[in-house]
Structure formats: structure tokens, C-alpha cells
Amino acid sequence: MGLLSGLMGNASEIDSEELQAEFDNILFDGESITQAYKLIRDMFVFTEYRLILVDRQGVTGKKVEYHSIPFKSISQFAVETAGTFDMDAELKIWISSSKEPLVKQFKSGANIVAIQKAIAQGIAGK
């Protein structure tokens, strides 16, 4: 992922198997990462049960906040795929405790349809 892409708010897909060890103390027994996306230092990680937002803070990024959103708290979501002139895809997630949606941008080529499917499966409990 290029620096400019990260600065523009675009997320790039990363290998979920690489993160499994890093998230070992965050995930409960039997939970595994299904998809993960990274912005320069921050990430958002999908498991079978929840979405984990990772916010690395400070100059060194050693201070980390893990925000866990269970799928049952997601009231609705929207996916906007990339178009001819708008090369970015967008994901909006409404959380039951918030009026405004959580919005994430994905660069062209990101598998936004797979993310939509993961959220739908999580909400449905499948």
C-alpha cells in the first residue's frame, strides 16, 4: 500500500493469517480472523462474531486501542462499489448506539463484496 493511498483514507486488504498471532490475546478460543484491512497504521479486522477497529496512537504507535463491535450491534450497512470516475468503494456501518454511520473507504480492487458478505453472514449468525 502506498503512503498516498493511506493518507487518502483508502484501506488495503492484508493477510488474515499474519494477524492471527498478533491478535491471539484479543480473540477468544475458537475465534479467527476472516478478513483484515489496513490504513497506514490503523486496521479493521473481521472475525466470525465481530468487527475489531484497531487505532494505533502516538508517534511510535505502541499505544493501541481495540474497539470491538459485535455483529449483533450492527443495525444496518451499505456498500458502494467503485465506479468509472469514482475509483473508491465505500462501506457504511450503522451501530445501534450511534446516529452516524462508521464510514470506511477502500481503494479500487479491494474486495468490498466479500466484506459485505462477511457482515451479512455475521448479522445473520451464519
Side-chain angles (χ1 to χ4, degrees):
M1 172 184 74
L3 178 62
L4 182 60
S5 178
L7 291 173
M8 296 297 290
N10 293 327
S12 296
E13 190 168 7
I14 54 177
D15 184 9
S16 58
E17 291 181 14
E18 290 178 19
L19 293 177
Q20 199 69 35
E22 180 182 338
F23 280 76
D24 191 42
N25 58 350
I26 304 293
L27 304 175
F28 61 82
D29 291 340
E31 184 179 23
S32 61
I33 296 170
T34 57
Q35 291 180 330
Y37 292 85
K38 185 172 188 172
L39 298 159
I40 296 177
R41 296 187 317 175
D42 299 340
M43 290 185 285
F44 48 108
V45 178
F46 290 90
T47 74
E48 305 95 322
Y49 309 103
R50 57 188 167 148
L51 168 61
I52 303 169
L53 302 174
V54 181
D55 180 16
R56 296 196 183 277
Q57 303 170 4
V59 177
T60 63
K62 288 185 178 182
K63 183 177 180 180
V64 182
E65 176 184 80
Y66 298 93
H67 181 178
S68 182
I69 304 168
F71 285 122
K72 66 182 179 181
S73 296
I74 298 174
S75 59
Q76 60 180 312
F77 64 94
V79 174
E80 181 180 300
T81 59
T84 303
F85 298 106
D86 183 7
M87 298 304 291
D88 297 332
E90 187 175 80
L91 170 67
K92 294 180 183 177
I93 301 172
W94 283 264
I95 302 166
S96 59
S97 61
S98 178
K99 291 181 182 181
E100 297 298 318
L102 169 68
V103 179
K104 296 293 181 179
Q105 298 286 326
F106 295 83
K107 68 181 182 178
S108 180
N111 195 350
I112 193 82
V113 175
I115 294 171
Q116 180 270 165
K117 189 175 186 177
I119 294 172
Q121 288 175 331
I123 291 171
K126 302 284 181 181

